[in-house]
């Protein structure tokens, strides 16, 4: 891959929830096993909405996709293997995440992680950070690629 195709960051304007779902769907279509996406943003920013789109893109189905607020993890099967949807809001300490098997999942599954701050920086080196923030009535999504994700961010 040529140096020109490396992309560090991209912004998307999301005027409504349908746009958040659509961005999630595109992301879910390009994810591969081992891809980790960290979803940043305050309460109500749209992290779960984006995840629902990504789950649809991964499985090819319109899914129920309950928020994993209490279960911490929901997994989904698709043609490319397992997708983990993780919400760490209620995680008490970072070590508890490893008991969920998250470190193994980083290697073999595609992972969407809400509230990645709860891991206190113990995030994989290769990852996509996606930060959602309010913008008028809608949202803006800032995507930042780390490591190998720089070769992939241009494909979303
Ligand atoms: N681009 C957008 N414009 C306007 N509203 C949006 C947009 N994206 C999502 N929403 C709406 O924002 C609300 C909160 O979304 P969501 O539950 O996905 O947030 P969240 O970041 O997961 O919150 P929490 O941290 O509480 O889990 C929902 O009503 C959703 O429809
Ligand atoms: Mg949520």
């Amino acid at each position: 891959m040529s140096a020109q195709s490396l992309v560090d960051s991209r912004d998307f304007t999301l005027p409504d929830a349908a746009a958040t779902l659509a961005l999630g769907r595109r992301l879910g279509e390009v994810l591969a096993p081992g891809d980790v996406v960290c979803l940043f943003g305050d309460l109500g920013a749209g992290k779960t909405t984006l995840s629902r789109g990504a789950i649809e893109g991964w499985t090819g189905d319109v899914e129920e996709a309950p928020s994993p607020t209490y279960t911490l993890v929901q997994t989904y099967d698709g043609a490319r293997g397992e997708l983990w949807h993780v919400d760490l809001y209620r995680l008490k300490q970072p070590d508890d995440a490893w008991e969920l098997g998250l470190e193994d999942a980083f290697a073999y599954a595609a992972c969407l992680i809400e509230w990645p701050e709860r891991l206190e920086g113990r995030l994989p080196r290769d990852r996509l950070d996606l930060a959602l923030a309010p913008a008028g009535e809608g949202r803006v999504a800032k995507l930042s690629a780390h490591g190998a994700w720089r070769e992939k961010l241009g494909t979303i």
Side-chain angles (χ1 to χ4, degrees):
M1 185 151 309
S2 71
Q4 280 95 333
S5 61
L6 296 179
V7 178
D8 290 321
S9 65
R10 288 177 76 185
D11 290 0
F12 292 85
T13 302
L14 307 172
D16 52 28
T20 306
L21 271 174
L23 176 61
R25 220 175 279 125
R26 283 211 297 282
L27 182 61
E29 285 165 3
V30 305
L31 286 179
D35 281 344
V36 176
V37 180
C38 293
L39 298 166
F40 293 88
D42 288 341
L43 286 169
K47 303 179 295 297
T48 299
T49 307
L50 191 127
S51 298
R52 288 195 173 117
I55 291 160
E56 282 183 32
W58 180 264
T59 63
D61 282 330
V62 177
E63 298 269 352
E64 265 303 300
S67 176
T69 308
Y70 295 98
T71 54
L72 301 193
V73 181
Q74 300 278 351
T75 63
Y76 299 87
D77 290 319
R80 285 158 284 158
E82 227 172 75
L83 174 78
W84 281 43
H85 179 202
V86 184
D87 183 343
L88 298 177
Y89 188 69
R90 286 184 165 72
L91 192 76
K92 294 202 178 66
Q93 52 190 27
D95 283 349
D96 293 349
W98 312 133
E99 279 168 34
L100 296 171
L102 190 58
E103 205 162 21
D104 290 338
F106 284 164
Y108 76 83
C111 298
L112 306 166
I113 305 173
E114 297 187 45
W115 297 99
E117 297 91 331
R118 297 288 190 269
L119 293 176
E120 296 178 1
R122 284 187 258 173
L123 296 168
R125 195 184 62 87
D126 291 335
R127 64 175 197 280
L128 178 67
D129 286 344
L130 192 160
L132 287 156
E137 300 288 300
R139 309 283 190 270
V140 63
K142 290 186 176 293
L143 282 63
S144 313
H146 299 271
W149 258 101
R150 297 168 68 224
E151 290 164 20
K152 200 158 159 166
L153 183 51
T155 67
I156 294 172

